[in-house]
Amino acid sequence: MECKNQQPQSPKYECLLFDVDDTLYPLSSGLSKECTKNIEEYMVQQLGIQKDGVVEMNQFLYRNYGTSMAGLKAIGYEFDNDHYHSLVHGRLPYDNLRRDPVLRNLLLSLPIRKVIFSNADEVHVAKVLSRLGLEGCFERIICFETLNSSDSNTASDDDSEFDSKSSTNSDTDDAPPPLPVTSILCKPSPQAFEYALKIANIDPKRTLFFDDSIRNIKTGKSNGLHTVLVGSSNRGNGVDYALESIHNIREALPELWQVDQKMKNKRLSENIALETSVVTA
């Protein structure tokens, strides 16, 4: 029996949420390595931290706070955010990035909302997108300034993810004291995800989140997002899909394009039916 007036299938996903660094371009670009070097130089030259321990300290802060900047603020260092970003990101070898027409065509062919979600500052994100030739591919950019504007920092001392992680065994006598709470809102803090989803009006249950960090992926999953780990083929806990490269989107997720084709076929059928009814009238 022929089924008439069948409604088109609703797409499973209505938004794609993308990290930037080491996600839209590969780790092999060398930008992350240079960024780490710049952070360590800033810590020594601008904050007076002893050079001998700066590598270990930077790794500790990044591991426990999501970004070195967030960690430095938490342990009491005061500095201008723009000045920090100008020295840490402003001196990166952006010339290592090349225009990526393949990725641009993939993104523009996707009939779904696309949003950037990065811990980096807006100048850095703009430079990366420009070097990659991805201007105009994203509906909105959520970055450091978005998360840390005067009216957006909703993290509190009571619900900080980093504080709670450090006090997991607080009921034991020999447990380490909780880490200081940072004033910076950033991934992988659950509050950063909650705020990003809220301001961009994103339904996590119908959103794919692309990131190279397994920590960010796990938090995204706990916030209800469907997750795609970029830069690795290993799927772990919290990872729905794993891509060696962002260029593998169509291969791994062909359904993102299938909904659009179904809609095109539906419109074509409707047009043919309309033309037929006009001829036979």
Side-chain angles (χ1 to χ4, degrees), residues 16-246:
L16 306 179
L17 191 61
F18 290 91
D19 177 46
V20 174
D21 296 307
D22 301 329
T23 298
L24 296 182
Y25 63 85
L27 178 64
S28 60
S29 68
L31 262 67
S32 288
K33 182 178 180 180
E34 288 299 312
C35 187
T36 299
K37 177 183 175 182
N38 290 346
I39 291 172
E40 292 169 357
E41 288 183 358
Y42 185 92
M43 292 168 68
V44 173
Q45 297 172 6
Q46 302 294 323
L47 303 180
I49 297 172
Q50 291 295 319
K51 186 175 182 179
D52 291 345
V54 74
V55 173
E56 182 179 358
M57 180 179 180
N58 186 36
Q59 291 174 348
F60 173 84
L61 295 177
Y62 177 78
R63 184 170 60 250
N64 286 279
Y65 288 96
T67 68
S68 303
M69 181 191 208
L72 288 167
K73 295 275 188 176
I75 61 177
Y77 287 95
E78 296 294 334
F79 50 87
D80 181 76
N81 296 338
D82 292 337
H83 183 248
Y84 175 90
H85 285 134
S86 70
L87 294 181
V88 169
H89 288 154
R91 298 182 295 143
L92 291 176
Y94 290 105
D95 288 345
N96 290 0
L97 301 178
R98 297 287 183 267
R99 296 185 71 82
D100 193 339
V102 172
L103 180 56
R104 180 177 179 83
N105 288 335
L106 281 171
L107 292 173
L108 292 178
S109 68
L110 282 163
I112 304 173
R113 291 180 67 200
K114 292 168 283 290
V115 176
I116 290 289
F117 181 24
S118 171
N119 283 337
D121 60 292
E122 58 187 0
V123 172
H124 172 74
V125 173
K127 284 183 178 179
V128 170
L129 295 183
S130 177
R131 291 295 303 178
L132 295 175
L134 302 181
E135 307 98 319
C137 290
F138 302 94
E139 174 188 304
R140 181 164 189 167
I141 294 175
I142 300 171
C143 58
F144 175 84
E145 288 84 355
T146 317
L147 296 173
N148 294 280
S149 61
S150 58
D151 60 344
S152 65
N153 195 334
T154 57
S156 70
D157 291 354
D158 295 331
D159 60 9
S160 169
E161 179 216 13
F162 306 113
D163 180 62
S164 63
K165 285 201 305 183
S166 64
S167 57
T168 302
N169 299 316
S170 59
D171 56 341
T172 62
D173 294 336
D174 57 350
L179 292 174
V181 176
T182 183
S183 61
I184 299 297
L185 194 59
C186 63
K187 295 181 291 184
S189 163
Q191 291 76 30
F193 278 84
E194 291 167 9
Y195 186 68
L197 297 175
K198 178 180 178 181
I199 61 176
N201 192 26
I202 291 173
D203 179 359
K205 294 181 180 179
R206 302 185 68 186
T207 299
L208 267 175
F209 172 52
F210 296 77
D211 202 296
D212 66 291
S213 166
I214 188 63
R215 292 186 306 168
N216 295 342
I217 287 291
K218 287 181 178 179
T219 305
K221 188 67 176 178
S222 69
N223 278 68
L225 292 161
H226 300 268
T227 58
V228 184
L229 180 64
V230 180
S232 172
S233 59
N234 297 323
R235 286 181 55 190
N237 292 334
V239 180
D240 294 314
Y241 303 92
L243 309 179
E244 285 283 359
S245 166
I246 195 68

